Amino acid sequence: MRSPLMPKATAVWLVENTSLTFDQIAEFCGLHPLEVQAIADGEVATQMLGLDPVANGQTTAEELARCQADPEARIKLLETAIPPQYQRHKGPRYTPIAKRQDKPDAILYLLRNHPELSDAQICKLVGTTKPTINAVRDRSHWNSPNLKARHPVGLELCTLEELDQAVTKATRGKRTLADIEAEIAARAQAEDVEA
């Protein structure tokens, strides 16, 4: 179940300012009822300032009044209280200065271990340019002697999901080595049967 932002601070405010049961507060805030009881007893969160869920836009005063009247009722979180999910934009990604020196290592790894990826896919994954990819491929990069093939996910230049999607897209419709070996074995078997 979704819980409000800053659940302990919200629980502190609800314990101090309402007559809701511990179970109601615990379920709304995503806490254990014993933790809410400890807040009420002053054992936990003694210095914490309470957060008003009504003023914060997480629920309404009418909802609190309804739940105070009925101990079996549960507080509902407003739909507008949930922040929108972050969606990555399609534009160029920013790479911190400290990680920019790692890009050639990631390019070398992708060229060695995923030759099916196109230059455009490598550019998108690592955030580099085609001349840099060509320089690493031709060993004409200014730092070629010191390059080590390192995984781009380990370098935090892309996510594993992005890499998997790129590899899947690159291999879509192409025969794998296992397919080719199976075809050769089937041909050899067919030739043995004919002979």
Side-chain angles (χ1 to χ4, degrees), residues 51 68 83 87 104 111 124 127 130 133 142 145 155 160 166 178 184 190:
L51 180 67
Q68 287 180 44
Q87 298 206 354
L111 289 174
K124 188 174 179 183
K130 288 184 181 182
I133 294 171
W142 66 272
L155 296 172
L160 188 58
I184 292 170

Side-chain angles (χ1 to χ4, degrees), residues 153-190:
V153 175
L155 296 172
E156 296 179 6
L157 294 173
C158 67
T159 64
L160 188 58
E161 291 82 23
E162 291 171 339
L163 180 60
D164 288 342
Q165 287 174 357
V167 169
T168 303
K169 188 175 181 181
T171 57
R172 190 178 307 142
K174 295 182 181 176
R175 297 189 311 171
T176 63
L177 183 59
D179 294 338
I180 294 170
E181 288 174 351
E183 186 178 317
I184 292 170
R187 281 186 201 160
Q189 190 177 24

Side-chain angles (χ1 to χ4, degrees), residues 4-5 33 45 91 93 98 126 143 145 148 166 174 184 189 193:
L5 299 174
R93 73 175 68 179
V126 179
N143 198 20
K148 297 179 203 122
K174 295 182 181 176
I184 292 170
Q189 190 177 24
V193 171

Side-chain angles (χ1 to χ4, degrees), residues 14-149:
L14 290 171
V15 165
E16 292 174 354
N17 297 300
T18 65
S19 61
L20 294 169
T21 65
F22 294 154
D23 290 332
Q24 288 174 316
I25 295 171
E27 190 167 325
F28 178 67
C29 295
L31 302 173
H32 193 276
L34 292 176
E35 194 171 6
V36 176
Q37 185 177 354
I39 290 172
D41 292 341
E43 297 171 2
V44 176
T46 55
Q47 300 290 321
M48 188 175 289
L49 185 62
L51 180 67
D52 183 359
V54 176
N56 203 18
Q58 296 178 13
T59 190
T60 61
E62 294 80 23
E63 181 71 15
L64 288 178
R66 179 185 70 84
C67 291
Q68 287 180 44
D70 181 14
E72 298 300 316
R74 297 295 176 230
I75 307 170
K76 292 183 181 143
L77 191 65
L78 291 177
E79 290 296 323
T80 57
I82 307 301
Q85 295 296 317
Y86 173 74
Q87 298 206 354
R88 196 175 159 272
H89 59 85
K90 295 287 185 183
R93 73 175 68 179
Y94 174 76
T95 306
I97 294 172
K99 293 189 181 192
R100 290 180 195 168
Q101 65 206 17
D102 296 333
K103 286 183 179 185
D105 293 342
I107 294 168
L108 184 61
Y109 177 88
L110 291 173
L111 289 174
R112 283 187 184 169
N113 297 309
H114 296 288
E116 68 274 7
L117 292 176
S118 67
D119 287 357
Q121 287 176 313
I122 295 173
C123 286
K124 188 174 179 183
L125 280 173
V126 179
T128 187
T129 61
K130 288 184 181 182
T132 305
I133 294 171
N134 288 332
V136 171
R137 182 181 288 129
D138 301 339
R139 295 301 224 175
S140 61
H141 189 269
W142 66 272
N143 198 20
S144 279
N146 300 325
L147 292 183
K148 297 179 203 122

